[in-house]
Amino acid sequence: MNQQSITKPYEKAVVEVKNLSVFFNQNEAVKKVNLSIPINKVTAIIGPSGCGKSTLLRSINRMHDFEPIARLEGNIFLEGEDILLKSVDAVSLRRKIGMVFQKPNPFPKTIYENILWGPKINGFKINEDELVEQSLRQAAIWDEVKGRLFDSAISLSGGQQQRLCIARTIAMKPKVILMDEPCSALDPRSTGRIEDLILELKNEYTIVIVTHNMQQAARISDYTAFFYDGELIEYGNTSKIFTTPVLKQTEDYISGRFG
Amino acid sequence: MERRWQRRSPVLFDWLRKNLSTQAQTMPLYIRIKEKIIVFFLAASSFVSVFITALIIYILFSESAGFFKKVPLGDFLFGTRWSPLLEPASYGVLPLINGTFLVTAGALIIALPVGLLTAIYLSEYASNKTRQFLKPVLEILSGIPTVVYGYFALTFITPILQTIIPITEVFNAASASIVVGIMTLPIITSLSDDALQTVPRSLREGAYALGATRFEVSTQIVLISALPRVGASVILAVSRAIGETMAVTLAAGATPKMTANIFESVQTMTAYIVEVSLGDTPQGTIGYQTSFAVGLLLFIITLTLNFMAQRLLYKKKH
Ligand SMILES: Nc1ncnc2c1ncn2[C@@H]1O[C@H](COP(=O)(O)OP(=O)(O)OP(=O)(O)O)[C@@H](O)[C@H]1O
Ligand SMILES: [Mg+2]
């Protein structure tokens, strides 16, 4: 067991991870992790490649349901309800927990349909035009696409596609948005736009973002969790983690000495 | 040696030069010669199939030319009575086309939904184990000799149809449709399954992350993304159904007619060709030539379909 330094945020937790372990066959990718995700804040997850960041993130919206070799132990509470219980319907859970992926993955449909697909299949009562405009505006892409809503989403640039995917996620009005390296496939300009967007979004949503970019974590997050080899090593205020980390391991990673 | 190659077959020569000479320069002479002999035989065997295809097409055209000298193309293509062997002779091919498309449409009504649902099941629902069991079973379906299907239709399906629907004739399009449907099922299933498998996992995850059920993801995202390739598989199945011969000859009968009633006997293009081949129509007569004209039409139809399927398969993604 590595040394740990975990400071619980004082804000109310939306998601509460308790003693979570994730196994792929015998390989323990996430090891007894305890983590509180505070409401309306941006929480960054950092750590070297393969340390279990994506695995942890994907536990929160039950994406491991599709991986037969994955096994989860422990609990994850969403507003007090344990979402890992078999009795919890993963489909309706995912309405409340949106996810943005590393590679933009718009559907091969029009921009308009991309936004509406989620709300429609879930039977939300919506005003279509209004929801499309509102979601695209919130995702800071409205001005670029308002004249071509019925073009295929595939025709957009990578950065635009990613913002469309964010728009599609917020059209569901989730409680939490999970982002797994959402900028890693984008140029600096697009990255900047998405960072601004994340800062806007946290007024309404709780955001958990995995990133390899230390500056990005420092710029946009309120709390930072540093993982190493499946374990949560240090967790606390972003400004504290980046200026005066408690543990040497964290400091080494942040200053780029390993990982 | 090389110069002769170059003269006879510039394409092959270029290919030889590109693929052999760079590494061959450094090889001993006898290996280079051996390599060339091997390549010669490989190329020669592939030319055999090209040659035979060309020959068949040539015969189709030349024999059909004899036919079209006597019968105007318009009468052939748009005539609604097919009676080439009995007086008064009439050479309207539409009844045969009608027979072929009646059987094909019936086959598709069965093979399309069952094939697509099976493909979706295999690709999106089945565990790896089930998949590895079911796929080979499906392949077996396509390994059964077509004459067995025909016999099965005649002696098993038709009697059942007759009990359910008494107007069913002994030879009927319906029973042929059913077995042709079963025969084309593996094509649709297997190729559509491959098509669904090419849809990236990230797209499925994106859909699931929005609170979609497996069924919604399968039918509204995965199937839609794979639609061009799925379409190609359906076209290939249609092409296969149109070309199917043995089962339809046995089960659908030999009565060329313009009917939409699948419980009646009809004749397909392929079944007509069989009839002429087995009969005692003398070579060189117009009756004999009709089978080549019908064969040519069949060839053009299936070639067009296969070409369309290729276009769908290799369409560039934007
Ligand atoms: N579907 C899976 N099947 C088997 N093993 C997996 C699977 N997904 C992840 N793993 C394993 O779990 C461990 C953690 O992987 P994970 O993808 O969570 O790392 P990560 O921190 O997100 O890395 P990166 O920064 O490279 O994205 C790795 O050892 C990986 O091999
Ligand atoms: Mg990852």
Side-chain angles (χ1 to χ4, degrees):
Chain A
M1 193 83 176
N2 284 296
Q3 251 190 306
Q4 287 182 327
S5 159
I6 295 169
T7 317
K8 231 179 143 173
Y10 62 84
E11 289 93 354
K12 177 181 165 245
V14 187
V15 174
E16 188 85 54
V17 178
K18 280 259 159 72
N19 267 321
L20 179 77
S21 297
V22 183
F23 299 84
F24 295 105
N25 288 331
Q26 301 309 313
N27 171 23
E28 191 173 2
V30 169
K31 300 169 183 168
K32 293 228 169 358
V33 166
N34 289 285
L35 184 68
S36 304
I37 310 286
I39 191 161
N40 289 11
K41 296 284 167 197
V42 177
T43 304
I45 297 181
I46 61 172
S49 189
C51 71
K53 304 181 295 294
S54 300
T55 304
L56 171 72
L57 204 65
R58 294 161 65 85
S59 307
I60 301 174
N61 66 346
R62 294 258 305 255
M63 272 305 186
H64 296 307
D65 284 14
F66 304 108
E67 182 57 81
I69 62 167
R71 186 165 55 82
L72 280 71
E73 281 173 10
N75 318 85
I76 299 176
F77 296 97
L78 173 68
E79 299 182 319
E81 182 195 19
D82 186 352
I83 59 176
L84 293 188
L85 293 177
K86 281 268 177 302
S87 57
V88 169
D89 176 26
V91 171
S92 40
L93 168 73
R94 294 192 195 107
R95 286 175 206 151
K96 292 180 247 167
I97 302 184
M99 186 164 200
V100 178
F101 298 80
Q102 182 168 358
K103 242 186 81 209
N105 53 358
F107 305 133
K109 297 172 182 284
T110 64
I111 294 169
Y112 193 85
E113 288 171 326
N114 260 273
I115 302 294
L116 291 179
W117 193 73
K120 268 189 178 164
I121 55 164
N122 285 297
F124 292 177
K125 295 249 173 311
I126 46 163
N127 177 331
E128 299 190 353
D129 290 347
E130 202 175 280
L131 182 66
V132 169
E133 176 168 351
Q134 184 195 352
S135 310
L136 290 170
R137 271 191 197 284
Q138 269 200 319
I141 188 184
W142 171 252
D143 291 331
E144 286 155 75
V145 301
K146 64 183 173 204
R148 47 194 281 213
L149 291 177
F150 298 99
D151 286 3
S152 168
I154 312 293
S155 65
L156 298 172
S157 76
Q160 290 173 327
Q161 287 186 5
Q162 194 64 306
R163 275 176 287 147
L164 176 67
C165 290
I166 295 175
R168 165 177 100 180
T169 303
I170 54 191
M172 293 289 296
K173 308 229 180 314
K175 295 202 163 77
V176 181
I177 301 177
L178 310 171
M179 299 185 168
D180 196 349
E181 302 183 46
C183 303
S184 69
L186 306 180
D187 65 297
R189 210 179 114 87
S190 305
T191 301
R193 304 200 62 157
I194 290 185
E195 287 182 8
D196 293 345
L197 171 58
I198 291 171
L199 290 175
E200 281 288 313
L201 289 176
K202 77 171 178 183
N203 297 322
E204 270 179 71
Y205 303 97
T206 301
I207 295 172
V208 188
I209 179 170
V210 169
T211 177
H212 275 287
N213 181 331
M214 291 308 112
Q215 286 79 27
Q216 182 171 70
R219 274 194 302 264
I220 63 174
S221 72
D222 303 290
Y223 290 91
T224 297
F226 168 60
F227 280 79
Y228 185 78
D229 193 21
E231 286 177 49
L232 177 58
I233 301 294
E234 184 159 353
Y235 182 43
N237 246 313
T238 296
S239 53
K240 176 140 191 320
I241 298 251
F242 280 88
T243 51
T244 52
V246 176
L247 298 173
K248 174 117 188 357
Q249 206 177 3
T250 315
E251 190 183 343
D252 285 350
Y253 180 73
I254 286 166
S255 57
R257 256 171 295 211
F258 84 94
Chain B
M1 171 98 179
E2 266 187 13
R3 223 168 281 139
R4 220 173 69 217
W5 270 116
Q6 192 169 17
R7 201 176 59 235
R8 291 249 167 112
S9 169
V11 177
L12 178 66
F13 178 78
D14 277 354
W15 185 86
L16 274 176
R17 203 171 46 189
K18 238 191 268 139
N19 289 278
L20 276 181
S21 52
T22 38
Q23 84 237 47
Q25 297 303 320
T26 57
M27 286 181 188
L29 185 65
Y30 75 95
I31 293 189
R32 283 167 60 190
I33 292 176
K34 201 174 108 188
E35 286 283 300
K36 278 189 183 156
I37 292 174
I38 293 173
V39 170
F40 172 78
F41 278 105
L42 292 177
S45 7
S46 67
F47 273 117
V48 169
S49 55
V50 173
F51 175 74
I52 292 176
T53 311
L55 189 69
I56 292 175
I57 295 173
Y58 170 76
I59 293 174
L60 268 181
F61 272 94
S62 62
E63 292 285 342
S64 305
F67 174 78
F68 286 116
K69 261 180 218 146
K70 293 166 208 155
V71 179
L73 186 62
D75 290 2
F76 175 69
L77 286 181
F78 305 113
T80 54
R81 203 171 78 84
W82 182 252
S83 172
L85 307 175
L86 295 174
E87 291 301 327
S90 171
Y91 303 98
V93 79
L94 282 181
L96 296 184
I97 294 182
N98 180 73
T100 291
F101 279 89
L102 196 59
V103 171
T104 303
L108 217 54
I109 287 176
I110 297 162
L112 192 62
V114 178
L116 277 187
L117 288 177
T118 313
I120 290 175
Y121 173 73
L122 279 180
S123 164
E124 306 300 309
Y125 285 81
S127 67
N128 264 341
K129 248 181 164 170
T130 323
R131 216 180 128 74
Q132 273 156 21
F133 166 74
L134 271 180
K135 269 215 139 178
V137 170
L138 275 165
E139 312 285 311
I140 291 175
L141 272 187
S142 55
I144 298 174
T146 57
V147 64
V148 175
Y149 278 106
Y151 196 70
F152 175 72
L154 196 59
T155 60
F156 184 73
I157 294 177
T158 296
I160 293 178
L161 286 176
Q162 284 176 321
T163 17
I164 306 172
I165 301 147
I167 57 159
T168 308
E169 298 175 4
V170 173
F171 297 104
N172 61 82
S175 65
S177 287
I178 292 172
V179 286
V180 174
I182 298 172
M183 286 161 78
T184 49
L185 204 53
I187 301 178
I188 296 191
T189 306
S190 189
L191 295 180
S192 296
D193 172 53
D194 292 347
L196 299 180
Q197 290 283 306
T198 61
V199 175
R201 186 189 165 123
S202 65
L203 210 57
R204 290 185 177 83
E205 290 189 336
Y208 281 122
L210 291 169
T213 62
R214 201 179 272 263
F215 188 70
E216 287 157 348
V217 175
S218 310
T219 52
Q220 297 179 36
I221 300 295
V222 180
L223 186 63
I224 299 300
S225 312
L227 215 50
R229 282 162 163 276
V230 170
S233 82
V234 175
I235 292 175
L236 287 176
V238 168
S239 167
R240 170 84 168 72
I242 288 175
E244 162 43 41
T245 307
M246 216 47 228
V248 293
T249 306
L250 282 176
T255 325
K257 80 169 81 125
M258 299 293 291
T259 177
N261 183 349
I262 58 169
F263 300 105
E264 284 180 28
S265 167
V266 294
Q267 188 171 41
T268 64
M269 292 189 272
T270 50
Y272 174 72
I273 296 172
V274 171
E275 187 190 335
V276 174
S277 316
L278 295 181
D280 43 13
T281 324
Q283 250 188 18
T285 62
I286 186 162
Y288 179 79
Q289 286 167 337
T290 50
S291 71
F292 287 93
V294 173
L296 181 62
L297 184 61
L298 198 58
F299 172 72
I300 290 171
I301 293 174
T302 49
L303 191 72
T304 311
L305 288 172
N306 290 2
F307 185 71
M308 279 163 57
Q310 296 296 327
R311 280 287 297 267
L312 281 177
L313 280 180
Y314 297 110
K315 197 174 75 175
K316 276 216 188 80
K317 286 195 180 137
H318 44 225

